[in-house]
Amino acid sequence: MSLVQIETKALTGRKYWRSLNELSGTPAFREWMVNEFPGGAELLDGASRRNVLKLMAASFGLAGLAACRRPEGKIVPLSRGVEDLIPGKSYYYNTVFTQGGSAVGLTVEAHDGRPTKIEGNRNHPQSLGASNGYAQASVLNIYDPDRSAEVLKGGQVSSWAEWDQFASQKFTAGSLGRGAGLRIVSESVVSPSLSEVRKSLLAKYPEAKWVEYEPFSNENAIAGTRLVFGQPLQAHYHYDKADVVLSLDADFLGIDSGSPLSTKKFSKKRRSAKPEDEINRLYVVESQFSVTGAMADHRIRSKASDIDSFASALARELGILSELNVLGSADKVQKILMALVRDLKKNAGKSVVIAGPRQSARVHALALMINQALGNIGTTVTFTQPLASPEAKAFADLVGELNAGSVDTLVVLGSNPVFTAPVSLKFSDALKRAKTVVHLGAEKDETAVLSSWHLPLASYLESWGDARSVDGTVSIQQPLILPLNNGRSALELTAQIAGYKDQKGYEIVRNYWTSQWPAAEQEARFRKALHDGVLAGTAFAEVKVSADPKRVALPAATAKSTQVEVVFVPSWSVYDGRYTNNAWLQEAPDPMTKLVWDNAALISKATADKLKVVDGQILKITVGGQSLEIAAMVQPGQADDSITIAAGFGRKQIGRVGQGTGFNAFEIRVSGDAIQFASDVSNTGKTYQLVTTQEFHSMTEPKLMDAIEPKTRPIVREATVEEYRHHPDFAPHMVHAPDDSIYGWFDYSEGNQWGMTIDLNSCIGCNACIIACQSENNVPVIGKEEVSYGRSMHWIRLDRYYTGDAEDPQAVIQPLSCQQCEAAPCESVCPVAATTHTPEGLNDMTYNRCVGTRYCANNCPYKVRRFNFLNYHKEMVDIEKMVSNPNVSVRMRGVMEKCTYCVQRIQEAKIKAKVEGRRGELLKDGDITTACQQVCAADAIVFGNINDPESRVSQEKKQPRNYALLAEVNTRPRTTYLAKLRNPNPELVEHHG
Amino acid sequence: MADFALNPEMVDKVTPRLVKGNSTYKSVTDDVSRIVETKTPREWWIAFSLSVAVALMMVGMLAYLVAFGIGTWGNNSPVGWAWDITNFVWWIGIGHAGTLISAILFLFRQKWRTSINRAAEAMTLFAVAAAAQYPLFHTGRPWRAIYWLFPVPNTDLNMWQNYRSPLEWDVFAVSTYGTVSLLFWYVGLIPDLATLRDRASGVRAYIYGIFSLGWRGAARHWRHYEMAYMILAGLSTPLVLSVHTIVSFDFAVSILPGWHTTIFPPYFVAGAIFSGFAMVITLMTVARWALKLEHLITIKHLENMCKVILATGMIVGYAYGTEFFIAWYSGNPYELFTFVNRAFGPYWWAYWSMISCNVLVPQIFWFKKCRTSVPIMFIASIFINIGMWFERFVIIATSLHRDYLPGSWGYFKPTMVDICTFIGTMGLFMTLFLLFIRFLPVIAISEVKGVLAQEDQVAKHGHGAHH
Amino acid sequence: MSQQQIHGVAAAFNSPEALLHAAKEVRKQGFSKVEAYTPFPIHGIDDVLGIPPSRLGYFVIVGGLTGTTLALLLQWWTGAGDPNSIPAWTALVPYPLVIGGKPLFAFEPSIPITFELTVLLSAFTTVFGMIGLNKLPRFYHPVFNFKNSPRITDDQFVLVIENTDPKFDAHEATRLFQNLHADAVEMIEE
Amino acid sequence: MPIFSKKHDLIARALAAFVAVGALSGIAAYTYFSHPKVIDVGYQPKQPVPYSHKLHAGDLGMDCRYCHNTVEKAAFAAIPPTETCMNCHAQVKPESPYLQPVRDSYATGKPVEWLKIHQLPDYVFFNHSAHVTAGVSCVSCHGRVDQMIEVKQVEPLSMGWCLECHRNPAANIRPAELVTNLAWQPDRDPAEIGREIIAQKKIAPPVNCSGCHR
C-alpha cells in the first residue's frame, strides 16, 4: 500500500472564484467593472494581469529566437521506488462511501497517488457498478482549498500535538469519571469497527451517551415497521419483481435513495427489449415534482400532508381500514384510486407500495399493511435488521441536558448540527452551555466556530474505516491518499477518546476484522476484502415477519390542513449542506427545476397567483414564529398550497464556492419534521436572480401568432406500451429522414465503429452522468453568473420537457451529448480542420488546433458543443487541479470542446489491446465503458462497437423504437435514442376519437 | 445631329451637367487639390481627434477581448455569433457601394460616377478595414487564427485549412476583396497623386512623387492604364457580387433554420448595395458641404443614388417577403417557426426595426422632393444604415437563439464591450476617412477632366457631335 | 547642346483638340517617335500617334488561369493528395482528413476559393502588368525638364518629338510647333 | 526642375531590390529558425548529475529497460528512482564526487531533478508502450543514446515528423525484442523487415487527430 503525501500549503495559495462578484478589489471601480463588463472583471486580479502580460508577450512580442525554445521542464523521479507503481498509469482501489446512513461500495481511480475518478464497485450489492452524483463529486471535496486543515482551539490555530496533550488529560477516568458529563453526537454509525470502538468507549464511560443525529433520516420508516411488526426493521423493496409500484411521496429513484440499487432494480423491470415485453407501472403521489414523479405512469399531485388521507383511503378500499374515506371529492384522484386498487389487487404479490421518509410513521405503517394485504411481504418487500437508528428524540434529549448544564464535554463527530438542528431546539445556544465542545469536521462550519476545539476531519478517501450498507454487507474503507488536510477520521478520534487498544485507523479496522478470523486466513481474507471491496457473507439475514392488521395500533390520522405546507427535502446538489462548497454539485442543474447554484421555494402556478408572486421574487415564509426570505420559483406539477424547499443552502460559515448560494431552509425547519405548516407566506416584492440551464420547457413551440398553430417537435418520442405494440416503429416514423447524399456516404463498414444508444425509457434524469463526465473529462465549473449568460459547460446535458397540462404535466428527460454524426455539420464548417472524423466514426475535437470561430457550435443542430468563453481553468486553485484527469487535455480559453465518447478511454483500451498483442482485433463490450455509461444506475446509456453484431449497442439499435434525433436534418448520428414508453393503466387511458 | 447645335443651357435641361459652374480643367484641379493644400482647418482637427479617440477605444476593447476572451462579449451558447458577425457583415455590406460605383457604373459608362467614385472606393476600403477586425477578433484564439487561416506551407504541423468551410471561403473572399479594392483605388489615384506632386513642394512633393511612381501622363502609359482600369473594373464587378454571396454562404451553407436558404446570395448582395449607397449618401452629403464641392458632387449624383436605394430597398423588402413565404410554403416546421419567431418572438423589436427602416423608409424616394432634399436623404440614409444593421442582427441572433431543440434555446444580450467595440470600428472608419480627405484627392481629378472634356464637346458641338 | 544630350522637343497646348491637331500635323511631317503627355487620356491620340492597342489583357488571362489552377491544386492537393508522395522539406505534405463524411476533394465546394484566387491573381497581373509595361516607377524622366511639365497633370497637353526619331531635327521640330501655335516650345535635355 | 534626379531613380531601384531581398530572406530565415528542427534539435541541457549514457548503455551494454523499466507497460518511460542508481553505485565508485547528488538524494529522500529533454506539449498523448510493442526502436526518436555522453535531442519531435512515420512506418519497425538494440544493422533492407512485421502484426498507426490529441 503506497500513499503519496502532498504538501497542501503550497497548493492553496491562489484564488478560486465562483462568481465575478467575489473578485472584490478597489470597491467602486470594481463594481463598475462588474456591472459594465460582465465576465471580464478578472482583469483586475493580480494573477490574471500577469497572465495577460505573458500572453501579450507570447503573441505580439517579437521574442528572440532563443525564447522560442520550450520552457525548461523537469523530471523528478522518486528517490526510492515504490514497488509495482508505474508512473502515469491509473490504479483502481475499492472503498466505500457513506452518506446519511447508507453506504455504497466504490472503485476509485487514482493517478500517481491522486484519486481522480469515482466509479461504482461492481461487487457491491448496493452499487452493482453504478454510483450517484454525490459519490462522483465527493472526490472534489478532498481538493477543496477551503477545507479545514488546522486544529483550532477556541478559534485560534493550534496543533494536533496540543490537542493530543489536551486529550490525554481530558479523556481519562480521572477527569470524566464515569462519563456522566460526556456526550457524543455523530452521524448514523454504520461502521462496525466504529461501533466496536463506541462499545469500548461506553464501557469506559458507562454514563456517557452517544447520540446519532441526521437531519434527514429514515426514522419514520423504521417507526412504521415497529408499529406493524412490533420490531424495528429495514425494509427492502424489490422493484425488479414488481409489476406495479405505488410511491407515496417516496422519491425512491432520486433523493430518497441512498444508493443506485433501487434505480438498478426498477429499470430492470422498466426495460423493454421488444414490443411484446411487459414493463412495470408506476403510480406516484407526491407534492413536489421528483424524478420518480417524472417516471410515473400516473402521477397524483397532492399536498404532502394529504398523502396520509390518500393512503388511508387506499387502505380502506383494500379492506385494511374501516375508517371513512376522507380523501374528499377530487374526482380525478378518486378515479385513479379506484383503478389503482384494482391494479394492485390484480398484481397482488407482484407489487410494491412504498412510503417516503417525509411521511409519518402512520403512512409507513399503512404502506406496510397494504403490502401485507397484497401479499407482497416476503416477495417484493423483505426485511432485515435495521442498521442505525438516529432518533430525533435522543437529540432533543441531548439539547435538554445541555440546557440543564449537565453536559461537561460534547464531542461532535463529522456533522454540522448547529446548521442542521431543528431551529426550535436552539442548539447553538445549548451548545454554549457545555464546558468543552470538540468538533471534528471537514469544514470550519457553523458548529466549528462555536466549539472550543475544532479538529479537521479526514475524508473517506484519506482514512481507513469500514461501512455496512443497508443490507448488511460490509466494505472496508480503504484510503487512496494520506490526509491532504492533515485530518483524522471519526474512528481515530473515537479511539483516542475511548483509549482504545488501537489508535491508528488501519490497525483498528484490520484488527477488528482479523481478530474474528482464524489466524491462518487473516492476511488472505483481509486482502481479499480490500480487493473485492466487500466482505463476503456479511449481509444480514432476512427477517421473516408477518403482521396481523387487527392488532396494529395505528396512530390517528392527522386532519387535513388548509394551511400552506412547507416540505423540507435534502438538496440534489448540496444534500444537507455538506456539499455546499462542492462546485460540481452546485453547478449540476437540479433535475427538475434546472436551477443551479441556488435553491428556491417551489410553488405551483395557482399558489403563485394566489400569493401574487413570480419567479425570482422573494417570499417571506413564517413557520412557528421563525421566518425565512427565499426566492420563489413556479414549478409545474407542484401541489397547490405546498412549498418545497431544498435544504443545505444559505450557509454562512462556508468556503468560497458555497458563499452566498441560496437560502437556508433550516431557519424555518422548526421541528425535525419534514412537513410543516406556514403561518404566513407573503411576497416581499424583493427580487433575486435565479439561474437555470434551460429557458424553455416544452417540446411544443410557443404560440407567437394567432394564425399559426404551434407544433410539437418530435424530440423525445413517446408512446404507451399499447401503442408501441400496434406501431413498433412509431419513433423512427415520426419524421421523414432523407438519408441521402450527393456525394455518397463514407464507408464505415470496417474495424471498430463506435456508437451509443440512450434508452429514454430507462433514464431517470439523475444527473450522475453529468458529474461523472465532468470528473472524467476535466469539464470546468463556470459559476452562477456565467451560467446565467447561457455558457454552461457540461458535455452531457439533460433536457427536461413538460408535456400535457401546464399545471399538472408529465415530464420527459433527454440526455444530450455530442451525437457523433457521420455527416457532421460541425466538421465541414470549421475553417482550420480542428474537428474531423476518425475512421472509427468519432467526431474528433482537436482542442490544440481550434481557433474558436464557434461556427461548429452554431451549425450543430443539437447544440452540444461547449465554448470556453473565458479561461475557466486558469482560475482554479492549484490544489483543485489535482482532481484533473491527466489523460484529457485541459482546454484553454477560446477553444471549443465537447463529448468525444471518452476518446481517452477508447485509446487506452486500444493501446492495451496492442500491448497485449491483440492488434487489429475488434474491441468487445466491456473493453471500453464511457464515464456516463459506467455511472448510469438505470443502464440507459449503452456504448460499444456497432460493427460487432453481438455488442449490446448493436442489439439495442435493432429495437424498433430506436430513432435518431433530428434524422430529418440528415446528420446520421451515431448516438440514437430508444423511445420512451409509458404504461398507463388501461382503465385510465382516455381514448380520443 | 450636328444641326441641333444646342447652347449649354439647353443641354443642362435635357441632361443636367455633371459638373456645375464654369469649371475648367484648371479649376477642377484647383478645387480638388485646394482641400489637400490649404492649412488644416480646426474643424478637421476636432473631428479627427474625436475619431482617433473612438478608434483607440476599439483598440482598447480588442486588447481587452484578446486578453480575457470572448466571454467579455455577450455571446453564449446557443448564440455563438452575435454582434461580432453582425457588425462584420454590416461593414462589408457598406463597402459594396464603393466598388459598385467605381466598377459596375464604370462598365455601364455611367459618367455621373466620376465625382463620387474616389470617395466611395475609399469608403469601401475603410469599411473593409473595419469589417476585417471581426473575422479575426471574433475567434477565441486570434493569435492562432491569424496564420492558421491562411495556407502557409508548414513542415512542423503538416496541417492545412478546411476548404469546405464557408469561413475559409470568407477568408479568401474578404482578403481578395480588400486587396483588389486597394489596387483599384490606388490605380485610380496614380494620375491624381501626380497632380498633387506637381503642385507641391518640399517633402510633400517627394511623398506624392514616390506614390505616383513617376507618372507623367504619356499617351503610351494611358493606353495600358485605361486597359488596366477597365480590366480591374471587369474583375471587381463579379468580385463584389461574389463577396457578399460568399458572406451569405456563411449562413446559407449551414443547416440552421433561418440561415439555410438559397435566397441569401442575391438578397445579401442587394442589401449590401442598399446599405452601401446609404452610407455614401451619409458621408457625401456631409463631405460636399464641408469641402465646398457642391458643384462637383451635384444633386444629380445624390438623386441617382437615392434611386438606387429605392430599387435595392425594394429588392430587399421583396426578399423579406419571399423568405417568409418560403418558410410557410416549404412546409418545413422549423423554418416556419424561425420566421414567426423573428417577427413575434423575443426579438420582435429588432425585426420590426428592420422592416421599418429598410422597407418603409426608402419609399419616400418615390418623391422627387425627397430625392433632391439633402436633409431628408441624409436622415433617411441614417435610418437605412440602422435598418441594415438590424437585418444582420435579426438573421444571426434570432436564428441562433431558438433552433431545433427547445431545451437549448437561449437569449443574447450585448455587453458594454460589444457596444464599445462596435462604436470603436466607426472611429476607425472615420479616422481613415478623415485622413483620406485631408491627404488625398477626394475626387478623381483626371476622370472629371475627361468628363469635362466630353461635356465641352457636347456643349460645343451638340449631342453626339463628336465622332 | 549636342544632339545626343537632347531628349527631344516639347510643345505645350491648352486643349485636347489643339493637341490632336498638332499631333496629326507632326505625324504628317513624317515624325514617328512622338509622345503625348496629357492630364487625362485623350480619345483618338493612339491612332494619331500610331500606338498599338495594349497587350495587357493577354497577361491577365495567363495570370487569372494561374490563379484558377493554383486554387484547384491547393484545394485538391492539401485535402486529397498522397502524403507519402512528396518529401517533407517541401513543406507541402498534404493531410487528407475525413470531414463531415464528405469526399476528400469535390468540385462543388471548391468553386468559391477558385473564383477568388482567379480574381486575385488577375488583379495582381493587371496592376503589376500595367506598371511593368509602363516601366514604372520611373521617378526621373526628361519630360520633367520641360518647364511646362508640372501642368501636364493639370491643364496642359504636351507633345514631344523625340531625339531618337530618324528625322529628328531640333530646329525644324521647334519651328513646326511654333507654327502650330503651341503655348510653349522647348528643347528638353536627356 | 524635376523633383527627382537620375540619381534618385537609381537609389529607388536599389532600395526596392534591397527591401525585396531582405523581406524574402527574412521570411526564409524565420521559417527556418522557428522550425522545431532548429529550435529543439540539439537541445542538450546540463544535467544535475554528469551521467553518461555512452558509458552505461554503450560501453557497459546495459539494456535501456534496466532503468527505463516501464517503457513496455506504460505511456511514460520511467526515469529510475535514485535507488536504481544506488543498486550498483553502493559498490561501484562509492566515493566519486560526481555521484554526490545521487548519494545525497538517496540519503535524504529528495529526488534528483533531471532536466527533461524530449518534451511534448501537454495536448500530445504519446504512449511508449504502444510504440515499443509495435517494434519502434528507441533509436527512432531518441537517436544513438548509447553514443551520447550527455543526451541531446536529435529529432524535431514535431507533428509533421510524427506523421511521417505514422503514415509510412515500415522503416522504423523492427522485431519487438530488438527495440533496445540501438546499433542494430540488419543484413537486408530494414523497411522490408518492417513491412513484413506490419503485415503480420496488423500495425496500423492512427493518423486521425484523436490518435494523439485527446
Side-chain angles (χ1 to χ4, degrees), chain A residues 40 713 791 829 854-855 968, chain B residues 64 73 80-81 165 250 334 403:
Chain A
R713 298 184 173 180
R791 295 172 181 169
V829 298
R854 303 184 295 292
Y855 198 175
E968 60 271 38
Chain B
Y64 183 73
W73 285 346
W81 289 345
S165 168
D250 284 347
Y334 300 116
D403 65 343

Side-chain angles (χ1 to χ4, degrees), chain B residues 25 452-458 460-461 466, chain C residues 13-24 40 42-43 45 157 180:
Chain B
Y25 300 134
L452 195 63
Q454 287 177 24
E455 292 204 341
D456 280 350
Q457 295 232 323
V458 173
K460 278 178 199 147
H461 310 295
H466 68 84
Chain C
F13 300 90
N14 63 6
S15 74
E17 291 85 356
L19 177 84
L20 272 172
H21 174 70
K24 277 178 199 154
F40 53 89
I42 306 297
H43 220 88
I45 193 86
F157 302 81
L180 289 165

Side-chain angles (χ1 to χ4, degrees), chain B residues 54-65:
Chain B
V54 176
L56 284 177
M57 177 171 77
M58 180 198 81
V59 174
M61 286 298 128
L62 292 179
Y64 183 73
L65 176 85

Side-chain angles (χ1 to χ4, degrees), chain A residues 176-358:
Chain A
L176 290 170
R178 290 174 58 77
L182 175 62
R183 294 292 178 272
I184 294 169
V185 178
S186 74
E187 301 180 291
S188 302
V189 175
V190 296
S191 157
S193 43
L194 181 57
S195 298
E196 179 66 21
V197 178
R198 170 168 65 176
K199 224 182 282 167
S200 101
L201 182 140
L202 294 175
K204 186 175 171 193
Y205 305 111
E207 285 170 18
K209 276 187 198 156
W210 182 298
V211 178
E212 290 174 38
Y213 171 70
E214 289 280 350
F216 298 101
S217 75
N218 60 348
E219 187 180 350
N220 290 351
I222 290 176
T225 59
R226 205 181 272 125
L227 280 173
V228 177
F229 303 113
Q231 54 174 316
L233 291 168
Q234 172 72 49
H236 299 278
Y237 298 93
H238 303 283
Y239 307 104
D240 51 341
K241 295 177 189 156
D243 288 329
V244 174
V245 177
L246 167 66
S247 152
L248 300 168
D249 199 19
D251 186 7
F252 65 90
L253 297 173
I255 201 74
D256 296 338
S257 166
S259 79
L261 186 66
S262 39
T263 306
K264 273 258 175 211
K265 287 185 162 173
F266 180 83
S267 65
K268 212 175 235 176
K269 202 71 187 170
R270 192 74 184 173
R271 194 158 300 129
S272 164
K274 44 189 187 306
E276 308 83 73
D277 285 356
E278 295 283 352
I279 66 170
N280 62 13
R281 179 171 300 135
L282 174 62
Y283 297 83
V284 175
V285 190
E286 62 180 9
S287 61
Q288 79 272 24
F289 213 148
S290 69
V291 294
T292 308
M295 285 298 284
D297 299 299
H298 296 287
R299 178 175 179 272
I300 300 167
R301 191 165 65 111
S302 162
K303 274 174 81 170
S305 52
D306 289 353
I307 287 172
D308 190 338
S309 317
F310 185 91
S312 304
L314 179 63
R316 198 193 68 115
E317 295 299 332
L318 286 165
I320 301 160
L321 282 189
S322 50
E323 295 163 25
L324 283 176
N325 185 353
V326 288
L327 194 56
S329 55
D331 280 349
K332 187 188 160 204
V333 176
Q334 186 67 30
K335 194 180 159 204
I336 299 175
L337 177 77
M338 296 319 290
L340 167 66
V341 166
R342 284 187 286 272
D343 209 9
L344 283 173
K345 279 183 178 162
K346 203 160 63 187
N347 289 288
K350 290 184 296 173
S351 53
V352 165
V353 178
I354 177 175
R358 287 168 292 284

